[in-house]
Amino acid sequence: MTKHQFMKKAEAAFRRANPTADYIGWHNSPKFVTYPTGVKGWSGKFYATAQGYSPRFVLAEGDDSYIMVR
C-alpha cells in the first residue's frame, strides 16, 4: 500500500465511524514503519473536528491487511 492509499483508507475508516466529521487534516506525513513482529506498514496522525465536539488528534496505523484509527 502506498502512502496516499493509506491516508485515504484511514480517512474513510474515520468517516465511517464519525459521519458528522467536518474536517480532517493530516498533522504530519505518515511514516513507513516496521513493527516488532517484522510487519511493515504506515503510521500517522491527523486532526479531526466535528460540530459539538472538541478537536482531536487521531492516530492511524495500518498495513495491507488492516487499518486502525484511534
Side-chain angles (χ1 to χ4, degrees), residues 26-68:
W26 286 87
H27 174 66
N28 58 8
S29 182
K31 305 284 188 244
F32 190 71
V33 295
T34 302
Y35 296 103
T37 59
V39 175
K40 297 182 187 307
W42 293 93
S43 179
K45 189 187 292 187
F46 61 85
Y47 184 77
T49 62
Q51 190 170 4
Y53 295 93
S54 57
R56 306 278 174 156
F57 279 107
V58 181
L59 178 65
E61 298 179 321
D63 61 21
D64 289 331
S65 61
Y66 83 99
I67 295 288
M68 179 176 60

